[in-house]
Amino acid sequence: EVQLLESGGSLVQPGGSLRLSCAASGFTFSSYPMTWVRQAPGKGLEWVSGISGNGLSPHYADSVKGRFTISRDNSNNRLYLQLNSLRAEDTALYYCAKVRVMSSAWYPPYYFDSWGQGTQVTVSS
Amino acid sequence: QSALTQSRSVSGSPGQSVTISCTGTSSDVGTYNYVSWYQQYPGEAPKLMIYDVTKRPSGVPDRFSGSKSGNTASLTISGLQAEDEADYHCCSYAGGYTLVFGGGTKLTVL
């Protein structure tokens, strides 16, 4: 059974930094692209970032480009998201999710068939 | 990467059919047949219901169907059941290895 468990979310001041982590199990982690999707309170989903199975191809939404960095450790089955220069509008529940189809690349289409329960990031002074 | 447009809410009675629309642009929905739909219950993670515009993952009831015309994708739920009451989110490939979601639609079963 695929399991994804996010951690690292907390309350942080504007301009601060956080590192989110997603521990994966139940599948061959290195064979699948992974992604981060966030959801602000009472709002829809927003794609944040994705990374290829081999970790060499990261991609970002314009809203976070230059501030967030996605990475993965395939030896320890972990996905990461480094959040820098945080803003109030980054406040959201951050989900990690697994792409449905096995691939070493980050190449469309992207469908997410397994999700974690999310970790809350709150940016406030 | 502007969000896809979904109506905020839709409702229907048990047994009826409802359609949820998702409007994008020629840069996303209109160009790519990479549209998906996710169901989300309050306090839970999303669940993939439709991919490639019309396909259903294993285990998703055939009451759920997807379609697309021009820049608008649609999710139709026939034979509405109480358990279908949830939020539904559309998603499309938007080029440049990026994705865009809609704002979500709350389905109420009357």
Side-chain angles (χ1 to χ4, degrees):
Chain A
E1 178 192 4
V2 172
Q3 292 194 358
L4 299 170
L5 182 62
E6 303 94 336
S7 61
S10 70
L11 172 64
V12 61
Q13 292 189 339
S17 298
L18 275 179
R19 189 194 197 199
L20 307 184
S21 178
C22 172
S25 62
F27 65 104
T28 304
F29 182 68
S30 61
S31 295
Y32 292 86
M34 298 289 292
T35 196
W36 289 96
V37 174
R38 67 185 181 184
Q39 187 169 31
K43 301 295 185 182
L45 301 172
E46 181 187 10
W47 178 73
V48 173
S49 181
I51 191 167
S52 55
N54 60 18
L56 299 180
S57 181
H59 295 275
Y60 303 93
D62 288 345
S63 58
V64 306
K65 197 174 295 183
R67 301 188 299 123
F68 291 8
T69 302
I70 191 171
S71 62
R72 63 191 296 162
D73 179 351
N74 285 346
S75 61
N76 287 304
N77 293 348
R78 282 189 175 266
L79 176 72
Y80 299 102
L81 186 68
Q82 178 68 40
L83 290 65
N84 296 332
S85 303
L86 281 163
R87 307 166 179 167
E89 54 264 37
D90 295 319
T91 294
L93 185 65
Y94 284 71
Y95 293 102
C96 71
K98 167 187 164 291
V99 171
R100 180 175 173 270
V101 177
M102 190 182 304
S103 173
S104 62
W106 177 259
Y107 197 77
Y110 314 113
Y111 305 126
F112 311 126
D113 63 349
S114 297
W115 298 65
Q117 288 303 305
T119 186
Q120 179 67 40
V121 173
T122 302
V123 184
S124 175
S125 55
Chain B
Q1 294 174 353
S2 298
L4 306 176
T5 299
Q6 296 182 241
S7 52
R8 288 191 62 89
S9 64
V10 66
S11 62
S13 299
Q16 288 185 333
S17 292
V18 295
T19 296
I20 299 171
S21 64
C22 169
T23 301
T25 69
S26 58
S27 297
D28 39 63
V29 176
T31 293
Y32 304 102
N33 288 322
Y34 296 151
V35 175
S36 53
W37 290 89
Y38 295 85
Q39 177 190 63
Q40 186 181 31
Y41 293 115
E44 295 191 9
K47 174 187 175 183
L48 180 65
M49 302 298 284
I50 295 287
Y51 67 97
D52 283 351
V53 180
T54 62
K55 297 177 182 176
R56 286 185 310 275
S58 174
V60 173
D62 59 6
R63 303 185 294 103
F64 292 83
S65 62
S67 63
K68 191 187 88 166
S69 177
N71 295 339
T72 298
S74 299
L75 172 71
T76 298
I77 308 170
S78 58
L80 205 57
Q81 298 182 4
E83 66 204 51
D84 299 332
E85 184 164 297
D87 293 329
Y88 291 86
H89 307 270
C90 63
C91 182
S92 174
Y93 179 59
Y97 304 103
T98 66
L99 288 161
V100 61
F101 280 93
T105 296
K106 179 177 178 59
L107 169 62
T108 300
V109 180
L110 302 171

